[in-house]
Structure formats: C-alpha cells, structure tokens
Amino acid sequence: MTQRKCIVLLAAGCLICIAGLLVQFFTQITEPDSVVSALLNTKYVPDIRQIVISDFAGQKSVTLEYVSGDCWTGTDGEIVFPADAAMIQNFITAAAGMRTLRIVSQAQDTRTMFGLDGNSAVQIQFYTTDAVCCSDLYFGNSNYSGKRLYVMTPDSPVYETENDLFPWLDASAKHWAEMTLISGSFLGITDASQIQRIVAVTGGHSAIYMPGTEVFSETSELFLSLRGGALLPPGVVPAGMEPVATITVDTGDGGTAGLYFYDTGGDADRNSGIYVVTETKPGAAVPAPVQDASGNLRYVFEISRWTWDRITRQLAEQTGDTTAVTG
C-alpha cells in the first residue's frame, strides 16, 4: 500500500469518527431527557381522602371526598352527590402507575404554549388523611398525534406522557356522579336480591311489591337500573310543588331510598321536565360515616320522558287502591 493511500484511509477514518461524535452530541441536545415515575406516589394511595379537579377553561371545580368503604361524595357548588367509587379508584390506580415522562421544556414561561397556564389547564390535587397535598398536577394539551399529553407540577419542567388519563380530566359533577337513581353505595346494595320491599304511589293509588313474585323481580331490577340524564341543584324543583309519583325501596335492615318525581312540563323539544328528588337513608348494616354523610346529600336528577314512560308503564300494571302484590 502506498504512502498516499495510507494517508487517505487515515483521513477517512478520522472523518468517520468525528461524524459519529457529532451525531452523538447533537442527538443528546435534540432528544429530550426522560424519567420513569408515577404522578402519584404509591405510598400515599391508601391514605387518599380527597381529590379536587379544577378546569380553568370551563371555570368548573368538583371535590371528591372519601367517606368509608366504597363510598365517596362529590361537591360542586351547592350540589352534594354520591360519587362513582369505581371510577375514582381506577383514576387513583392510573395516577399511581409508573410511566415515562419526557421533558419537553425547562422554562416556566413556556407553559402557555402547552395549555398549562391558569386559563386552560386542568388541575388535579390529591390530599391525604391529614389534609396534606401529596400530588399537585396540571394537565394541558395533547400533542399533534393526540397520543401524548403535557403535564407538570407547579415547580417541575413541562413533561410529555401517554395520553391515557383523559377519562378523568373532567371537572363536571355529572362525570363523577353515581348517576343511578338509587345509590347502591350509600344503601350498601349491589343487586336486586337485596331489596325487600317496594312501595309505589301514583295518581292517588298505591302498590306494594314483595319478594317471591316475577313482578317484584322485574320492578326491583328496573328501579336499580334507572339513571339520571342530568345532575342539578335542589332549587330546580319549584317550592310547594307536589310529586306526581313516589317510590320507596326498603333494603330490610332499616335502609330506604325514596324517589319523588315532579313533572314541571319542561320543553317537549328537549324531552325533559321530569325531576327526581332522592332521599337516601342507609340501614344499620351500613357504616356510621356513610349514614352521617347521607344526610348531607343535596341534588336532583333530571330524567328523560322515555325513562318516565318506562316507570309509569311498570306502575300502571300493578297500581290500584292499596293493592298488595305478594308471594
């Protein structure tokens, strides 16, 4: 090999090495750092007693409070409602799961471009038993693909992470409420077999449903499945208005769920105007904190005319002057 060829090969080798170093250098600059962490430290999970979700863009805020067992309440202004315990637990589990957080910006003044400022972010705060905020999170926009979400704490960089938390980034009361007309969590019931009696009064007539008949099973399952379409403050029912129907469900341990139906006429185009006021009284088998919290519930359901027709059809089949439907 000539001296000239050796020099050429040596120079080429040097250029390749330099190019490799440059690629590595610029890759380190352009690729964001990342950490693997949880948004909520798992050690706090057993002690979570309150969650506050605030939507600055919509100017909404809801506070979720742990009561006992699988029972939570939610507060949105003057509304206090039974909250969906399964949804809350799923959210806590998701927030405590390990995830990859990629740093996209270290500058605090860039939060606006990621939707993390005080005008558009969704803030979620987790509090423990001693009222200490153990996680304060701000969620912003999703990225161009919609698969990743920007998130930060008050003092952290802006991170980008998997956009798998969207089911819980909602500060509306309805989103977090247990929307069934009969609150299973407060009565301590999970299915129709735990209902021991139903008393229905409508149009001046009444019916008593007792276990041991097909109609009792059908009616129990129907009433447990009924859901509200909207969650409203107590003041929507005009003062002095008489209910058009009353349904009382007994659980057998002293617990009752009273449903009072009011027909306000409403707007036929909206298929609405039927309001349901609930009165939940847990029985002796339910923990004392749940019994105490039930007295603070304040909310009204609005149901569709279609749901109201299902109820009236069921009652019309059995109602009469003090008709007893027994086994």
Side-chain angles (χ1 to χ4, degrees), residues 40 45-46 48 51 72 87-97 126 168:
L40 173 65
V45 168
I48 297 300
I51 305 173
W72 288 70
M87 176 183 287
I88 295 170
Q89 187 55 58
N90 289 339
F91 179 37
I92 293 173
T93 300
F126 294 89
W168 302 285

Side-chain angles (χ1 to χ4, degrees), residues 228-232 236 262-276 301-309:
L231 192 68
L232 305 170
V236 299
Y262 297 85
D263 188 349
T264 62
D267 184 345
D269 294 335
R270 289 183 55 241
N271 191 31
S272 63
I274 303 294
Y275 295 138
V276 186
F301 284 122
E302 182 179 34
I303 61 174
S304 67
R305 292 279 168 176
W306 179 83
T307 299
W308 175 235
D309 287 343

Side-chain angles (χ1 to χ4, degrees), residues 200-283:
V201 179
T202 180
H205 303 288
S206 64
I208 302 174
Y209 301 80
M210 300 294 289
T213 64
E214 182 178 350
V215 69
F216 177 80
S217 299
E218 292 175 353
T219 306
S220 298
E221 291 174 1
L222 170 63
F223 289 156
L224 278 184
S225 69
L226 294 174
R227 298 178 61 86
L231 192 68
L232 305 170
V236 299
V237 176
M241 175 174 280
E242 292 295 324
V244 294
T246 300
I247 296 170
T248 305
V249 174
D250 294 336
T251 61
D253 66 342
T256 61
L259 304 178
Y260 303 87
F261 296 83
Y262 297 85
D263 188 349
T264 62
D267 184 345
D269 294 335
R270 289 183 55 241
N271 191 31
S272 63
I274 303 294
Y275 295 138
V276 186
V277 176
T278 67
E279 186 177 77
T280 304
K281 296 180 179 179

Side-chain angles (χ1 to χ4, degrees), residues 4-273:
R4 181 183 179 86
K5 287 183 178 180
C6 289
I7 294 173
V8 170
L9 291 173
L10 181 61
C14 291
L15 288 174
I16 291 172
C17 291
I18 293 171
L21 291 173
L22 288 173
V23 169
Q24 183 178 4
F25 175 73
F26 283 109
T27 298
Q28 290 176 344
I29 292 178
T30 57
E31 286 190 359
D33 293 331
S34 64
V35 295
V36 176
S37 181
L39 299 176
L40 173 65
N41 193 316
T42 55
K43 73 178 183 180
Y44 296 118
V45 168
D47 296 324
I48 297 300
R49 293 296 180 269
Q50 184 187 80
I51 305 173
V52 180
I53 305 103
S54 303
D55 181 350
F56 297 114
Q59 296 298 309
K60 298 180 295 183
S61 180
V62 62
T63 299
L64 307 173
E65 299 272 1
Y66 176 74
V67 180
S68 178
D70 293 328
C71 193
W72 288 70
T73 61
T75 303
D76 175 12
E78 58 182 312
I79 303 175
V80 182
F81 56 90
D84 189 327
M87 176 183 287
I88 295 170
Q89 187 55 58
N90 289 339
F91 179 37
I92 293 173
T93 300
M98 300 301 290
R99 61 180 57 245
T100 300
L101 299 166
R102 299 176 58 197
I103 299 175
V104 296
S105 176
Q106 294 277 4
Q108 291 285 317
D109 58 2
T110 62
R111 63 176 61 185
T112 299
M113 65 185 294
F114 298 107
L116 290 164
D117 63 321
N119 296 318
S120 55
V122 174
Q123 182 185 22
I124 298 181
Q125 298 166 299
F126 294 89
Y127 291 88
T128 59
T129 307
D130 49 4
V132 172
C133 182
C134 59
S135 184
D136 189 357
L137 305 167
Y138 290 82
F139 294 89
N141 302 329
S142 56
N143 70 350
Y144 67 92
S145 70
K147 295 181 178 180
R148 301 185 69 80
L149 182 71
Y150 299 115
V151 60
M152 65 179 294
T153 68
D155 302 317
S156 78
V158 175
Y159 294 102
E160 184 184 69
T161 189
E162 297 86 354
N163 190 11
D164 59 342
L165 296 171
F166 66 91
W168 302 285
L169 303 183
D170 192 320
S172 65
K174 178 182 176 181
H175 184 79
W176 292 96
E178 183 183 18
M179 292 296 288
T180 51
L181 299 191
I182 296 175
S183 172
S185 64
F186 268 81
L187 284 182
I189 60 176
T190 57
D191 58 64
S193 67
Q194 295 169 278
I195 295 178
Q196 298 301 309
R197 188 179 72 158
I198 299 172
V199 179
V201 179
T202 180
H205 303 288
S206 64
I208 302 174
Y209 301 80
M210 300 294 289
T213 64
E214 182 178 350
V215 69
F216 177 80
S217 299
E218 292 175 353
T219 306
S220 298
E221 291 174 1
L222 170 63
F223 289 156
L224 278 184
S225 69
L226 294 174
R227 298 178 61 86
L231 192 68
L232 305 170
V236 299
V237 176
M241 175 174 280
E242 292 295 324
V244 294
T246 300
I247 296 170
T248 305
V249 174
D250 294 336
T251 61
D253 66 342
T256 61
L259 304 178
Y260 303 87
F261 296 83
Y262 297 85
D263 188 349
T264 62
D267 184 345
D269 294 335
R270 289 183 55 241
N271 191 31
S272 63

Side-chain angles (χ1 to χ4, degrees), residues 67 71 73 186 280-283 286-297:
V67 180
C71 193
T73 61
F186 268 81
T280 304
K281 296 180 179 179
V286 175
V290 178
Q291 297 183 42
D292 294 340
S294 67
N296 297 321
L297 297 176

